[in-house]
Amino acid sequence: MAETIGAASSLSLGERMVRMQGYQGLRSVGFAAMPRPVRALPSPCSSSSSVVTAVSTPVKPDPTQVKRSKVEIFKEHSNFLRYPLKEELETEAANINEAATQLIKFHGSYQQTNRDERSVKSYQFMLRTKNPSGKVPNRLYLVMDDLADEFGIGTLRLTTRQTFQLHGIMKSNLKTVLGTIIRNMGSTLGACGDLNRNVLAPAAPLMRKDYLFAQETADNIAMLLSPQSGSYYDIWVDGEKIMSAEPPEVVKARNDNSNGTNFPDSPEPIYGTQFLPRKFKIAVTVPTDNSVDILTNDVGVVVVSDADGEPQGFNIYVGGGMGRTHKMEATFPRLGDQLGYVPKEDILYAIKAIVVTQREHGRRDDRRYSRMKYLISDWGIDKFRGTVERYYGKKFEPFRELPEWEFKSYLGWHEQGDGAMFCGLHVDNGRIGSRMKKTLREIIEKYNLSVRITPNQNLILCDIRPTWRRPITTALAQAGLLHPRYVDPLNITAMACPALPLCPLAIAEAERGIPDILKRVRAVFDKVGLKYSESVVIRVTGCPNGCARPYMAELGLVGDGPNSYQIWLGGTPNQMRLAETFMNKVKLHDLETVLEPLFYNWKIKRLRRESFGDFSMRIGFEKLRDLVEKWEGPAEARPRFGLKLFSDKETYEAMSEIAQTQNKTAHQLAMEVIRSYVASNKLAPESE
């Protein structure tokens, strides 16, 4: 690495300029008006490392010399995300114009239409909150619950990035809703748009040094990369600054310009007028805990502790991302590469250097290729690391060895470590409504609980006294929020994006379709003789953008047409390997013809404890396609437990008739009834 740095330092400025095709960040090919390079001052993050030459302080390019996407022009002319959004919000129209539609994303909102209503465009807005580590104070949860009823569609949606989404907000109510969120310990600033999104971290409220440090780091990174111009407060609360105090280390890292990272005297010292080329996602976690899908983020940060459990620093991954476009092989999902290790006091400077590298060099001409993963894929990790080190002001240390990763859901009852307990609740597809919503509000309000949202669209109730466990368990079970042992294992790890009818990018169902898909998969499991306790990770999205991270699933369904899906196989239960495309254009009604031979052969040909994803990769897709093509049905499977659920034909026929209305077998419905009964009468199950 020293040779790389030394070689870069000896080159002329012209030779050190990175040359990519088309527009590149804030630097264009052939851009001549470059300021002279500056010499780095001693880095505030460490005095022990060698000083390296910094790149020059960035300036805004001449827009006539570069090709830029339309969104780049909107950002430049917006006066730091104000114009024409503020003006458009004041019109009588139900919608806002194209430029304002792009700008409002930075404020945490998307303009949408209900695609089920084809005769007329019914404009509405989705709001997304920003909750680092998924933390939601009691007061904010209750306010969000109220807003969903008064101004939304009556439901709260938990997202795969640990935030809330409110759907169905009318333009005339936006300022009221956003102002209410801001004044009640919440924010939507930066939840969408071309900047750092919500920072993930394990949601479990464990009183362990590494978990607490990971969550604190997520909070600090979120503050460091939050927009600073004040436009958010100008528009939504008439300039009233409702902000909590920032730690001094965050302020110091943001203001530091010793390595030429900042725009001097700008309201946005890190982002400038153009912000980032595209969305930017960061996750922080601890070793073994991959509840955050660490490798799918632009930046993945892992706490490294000493033998006594004291955090010492961080391993950093870079270059993950899920989005792609059908039939465009140049777009692809990608997992993060190992960048290096930094001591704990340097993490904010290292993160800032990575962000600035993407700001300066990420493509801004074609948004399909603007994510940082494409920059790293084009450059290679060594060149990327060398550029980041010039903004960082020092070299990265070697990556520290890590143990095996595992997916942790934190469902069920657990001790926090401070005398209190927490309870993780499975929420199908993150949608909280009806009786579940009412019961959760009653519990959270009565016991004054804070909550956490998980990256798997579930909810954790925190700070529960042990004496409250029994009444809370009873209330939850009566509302259908069962202990995880009574939830179908397929549902526990499944995820889906909202898709139709509100997402403009969706080309197939996801959230509305996955309940039926999971029931059909369970029926296939029963047919081929797989046990109820066995499961595979299933994720469904309505388009290839990958919001529910389907490319990490053992079985991913990606919408590629109306009622049609591209099938991806080969992910792992701990989300550490990319799946690969297995089949295209599989019609929804033909799903069993593909899944039956796959699951049957997994059952009879797998190695000991071999997951479905590992089996798929070991056998190979060519062989699996051949098995699907020649499939004639499984051998007759014998009943597993020898249980006779129905003692008379009349009961069976009545149950079967009810089950058909729910697209289930009589046996499946009977088992659900039994499990629900057991759950509601077993008031205080053991911790898991």
Side-chain angles (χ1 to χ4, degrees):
M1 186 59 63
E3 292 177 358
T4 303
I5 295 292
S9 299
S10 67
L11 297 175
S12 68
L13 174 63
E15 289 171 321
R16 294 207 329 262
M17 287 177 61
V18 178
R19 299 186 179 277
M20 289 182 65
Q21 249 188 340
Y23 188 75
Q24 174 161 331
L26 298 182
R27 300 173 190 261
S28 62
V29 174
F31 182 50
M34 294 286 292
R36 64 184 182 182
V38 298
R39 186 70 180 175
L41 299 175
S43 173
C45 31
S46 176
S47 59
S48 61
S49 297
S50 58
V51 176
V52 298
T53 303
V55 297
S56 53
T57 299
V59 296
K60 190 165 63 179
D62 181 348
T64 65
Q65 295 192 22
V66 295
K67 178 185 176 183
R68 297 185 295 166
S69 70
K70 188 185 294 186
V71 177
E72 291 299 314
I73 298 171
F74 291 154
K75 289 187 284 187
E76 181 184 357
H77 295 163
S78 71
N79 187 20
F80 298 99
L81 309 179
R82 292 177 175 86
Y83 174 81
L85 176 58
K86 189 174 187 298
E87 291 75 11
E88 284 291 303
L89 290 170
E90 293 170 354
T91 69
E92 295 296 321
N95 63 313
I96 55 179
N97 68 16
E98 183 182 7
T101 298
Q102 293 298 328
L103 297 178
I104 201 171
K105 294 177 183 179
F106 292 78
H107 296 257
S109 180
Y110 283 86
Q111 179 171 267
Q112 300 178 328
T113 59
N114 189 333
R115 293 168 63 185
D116 284 346
E117 300 174 4
R118 300 182 183 276
S119 58
V120 62
K121 286 229 176 199
S122 55
Y123 288 101
Q124 54 190 276
F125 291 80
M126 179 271 282
L127 288 181
R128 183 184 296 155
T129 59
K130 205 156 182 198
N131 309 88
S133 307
K135 295 178 183 177
V136 183
N138 173 272
R139 176 173 153 193
L140 178 60
Y141 184 93
L142 298 178
V143 163
M144 296 298 294
D145 184 82
D146 288 337
L147 293 173
D149 289 339
E150 187 174 356
F151 299 104
I153 60 174
T155 66
L156 285 170
R157 195 173 197 282
L158 314 178
T159 77
T160 59
R161 291 204 70 81
Q162 298 183 273
T163 66
F164 286 118
Q165 284 185 179
L166 286 178
H167 291 94
I169 309 298
M170 297 294 105
K171 174 185 164 183
S172 58
N173 294 326
L174 274 173
K175 189 168 184 178
T176 298
V177 174
L178 272 159
T180 302
I181 292 172
I182 294 168
R183 292 186 174 97
N184 287 276
M185 308 174 71
S187 176
T188 64
L189 177 60
C192 321
D194 299 342
L195 73 178
N196 179 55
R197 302 289 186 89
N198 196 53
V199 182
L200 303 188
L206 297 170
M207 297 296 113
R208 274 176 40 179
K209 291 179 181 178
D210 54 351
Y211 274 84
L212 293 172
F213 192 57
Q215 292 157 4
E216 177 188 348
T217 301
D219 289 341
N220 288 345
I221 292 172
M223 286 184 278
L224 172 73
L225 300 177
S226 181
Q228 299 296 302
S229 73
S231 61
Y232 181 70
Y233 300 97
D234 289 345
I235 291 175
W236 305 112
V237 288
D238 299 321
E240 183 182 355
K241 294 293 178 70
I242 305 173
M243 303 170 65
S244 57
E246 294 180 327
E249 61 267 29
V250 172
V251 177
K252 182 179 179 182
R254 182 190 298 121
N255 293 337
D256 173 65
N257 194 31
S258 59
N259 294 312
T261 54
N262 288 19
F263 291 93
D265 304 317
S266 171
E268 292 291 353
I270 295 177
Y271 291 129
T273 61
Q274 302 304 119
F275 289 81
L276 297 180
R278 279 296 304 274
K279 68 181 79 170
F280 199 86
K281 298 181 177 181
I282 300 175
V284 185
T285 191
V286 303
T288 75
D289 188 337
N290 197 25
S291 59
V292 299
D293 268 0
I294 190 70
L295 296 183
T296 66
N297 293 271
D298 291 271
V299 181
V301 179
V302 185
V303 175
V304 176
S305 301
D306 62 19
D308 297 323
E310 194 67 42
Q312 299 298 307
F314 301 90
N315 280 342
I316 301 177
Y317 296 98
V318 290
M322 292 284 96
R324 51 180 285 274
T325 303
H326 283 314
K327 298 181 180 179
M328 293 188 67
E329 296 301 316
T331 65
F332 45 81
R334 188 181 192 276
L335 299 188
D337 294 325
Q338 295 181 5
L339 183 68
Y341 170 90
V342 298
K344 61 183 180 182
E345 62 270 14
D346 289 4
I347 186 60
L348 297 181
Y349 298 92
I351 292 292
K352 183 179 175 183
I354 296 167
V355 169
V356 170
T357 299
Q358 164 67 352
R359 181 196 74 194
E360 288 293 284
H361 301 290
R363 287 182 60 171
R364 294 177 184 261
D365 59 330
D366 189 335
R367 291 177 65 80
R368 288 173 295 188
Y369 306 105
S370 293
R371 290 290 298 275
M372 193 171 75
K373 65 180 178 179
Y374 295 112
L375 177 63
I376 296 175
S377 180
D378 186 58
W379 280 9
I381 189 62
D382 290 337
K383 181 175 180 177
F384 182 83
R385 183 185 293 113
T387 303
V388 173
E389 285 173 332
R390 294 199 291 274
Y391 289 116
Y392 177 34
K394 57 190 289 190
K395 295 175 288 185
F396 288 100
E397 297 179 33
F399 204 82
R400 302 298 196 258
E401 186 176 349
L402 294 172
E404 281 291 313
W405 293 97
E406 60 181 282
F407 168 73
K408 297 188 178 183
S409 70
Y410 297 106
L411 298 179
W413 286 92
H414 306 265
E415 294 183 358
Q416 293 182 175
D418 59 356
M421 304 190 75
F422 70 89
C423 181
L425 305 173
H426 172 72
V427 180
D428 277 334
N429 306 307
R431 183 69 68 177
I432 298 176
S434 304
R435 186 179 179 187
M436 179 196 301
K437 181 172 176 292
K438 180 176 182 292
T439 299
L440 282 173
R441 185 199 174 89
E442 290 172 351
I443 292 171
I444 291 167
E445 189 168 29
K446 178 178 179 180
Y447 296 100
N448 194 31
L449 305 179
S450 62
V451 307
R452 305 270 180 102
I453 303 170
T454 81
N456 226 52
Q457 301 174 303
N458 295 321
L459 196 70
I460 294 177
L461 305 181
C462 306
D463 304 317
I464 302 171
R465 295 180 186 175
T467 55
W468 298 344
R469 178 175 174 175
R470 180 175 289 270
I472 288 176
T473 299
T474 303
L476 291 172
Q478 290 172 348
L481 285 159
L482 306 178
H483 189 276
R485 71 175 59 176
Y486 305 116
V487 178
D488 191 321
L490 291 171
N491 292 60
I492 292 290
T493 56
M495 290 202 298
C497 67
L500 297 170
L502 297 178
C503 178
L505 303 176
I507 48 183
E509 296 284 1
E511 180 186 341
R512 296 195 301 193
I514 196 173
D516 181 61
I517 289 172
L518 293 176
K519 291 169 188 171
R520 291 167 64 184
V521 171
R522 175 56 63 193
V524 171
F525 269 37
D526 290 342
K527 184 175 182 179
V528 303
L530 286 165
K531 296 178 181 178
Y532 179 81
S533 59
E534 295 183 279
S535 185
V536 298
V537 177
I538 300 174
R539 295 177 176 180
V540 183
T541 59
C543 81
N545 284 288
C547 293
R549 304 189 284 275
Y551 310 117
M552 304 302 291
E554 294 181 275
L555 171 62
L557 302 181
V558 179
D560 61 2
N563 294 314
S564 176
Y565 295 88
Q566 189 179 61
I567 295 182
W568 288 65
L569 302 178
T572 58
N574 66 351
Q575 283 81 61
M576 292 303 290
R577 181 177 64 215
L578 270 178
E580 297 178 11
T581 309
F582 177 65
M583 283 187 171
N584 295 298
K585 297 291 183 182
V586 176
K587 290 297 183 182
L588 187 59
H589 58 75
D590 292 330
L591 207 53
E592 284 82 356
T593 64
V594 177
L595 298 185
E596 272 188 24
L598 293 178
F599 291 142
Y600 177 75
N601 280 279
W602 174 45
K603 176 181 179 292
I604 65 173
K605 297 179 181 178
R606 60 187 166 180
L607 304 177
R608 187 171 181 267
R609 295 182 179 176
E610 186 175 37
S611 69
F612 178 65
D614 287 343
F615 166 81
S616 300
M617 299 303 284
R618 179 175 63 83
I619 297 297
F621 285 12
E622 185 176 345
K623 176 67 174 176
L624 291 177
R625 291 188 189 102
D626 186 58
L627 291 170
V628 170
E629 186 177 334
K630 297 176 179 177
W631 179 245
E632 294 182 355
E636 194 68 30
R638 292 182 298 174
R640 294 194 301 275
F641 304 112
L643 298 179
K644 189 171 183 179
L645 292 175
F646 305 102
S647 59
D648 61 275
K649 184 177 179 182
E650 183 179 347
T651 303
Y652 170 78
E653 290 178 345
M655 182 67 78
S656 182
E657 185 176 344
I658 298 171
Q660 286 177 10
T661 66
Q662 301 179 31
N663 196 25
K664 302 173 184 174
T665 66
H667 183 275
Q668 285 176 312
L669 182 59
M671 289 304 297
E672 286 185 15
V673 172
I674 292 170
R675 291 187 192 104
S676 180
Y677 176 80
V678 171
S680 62
N681 284 274
K682 192 167 184 177
L683 301 182
E686 296 299 318
S687 298
E688 291 203 348

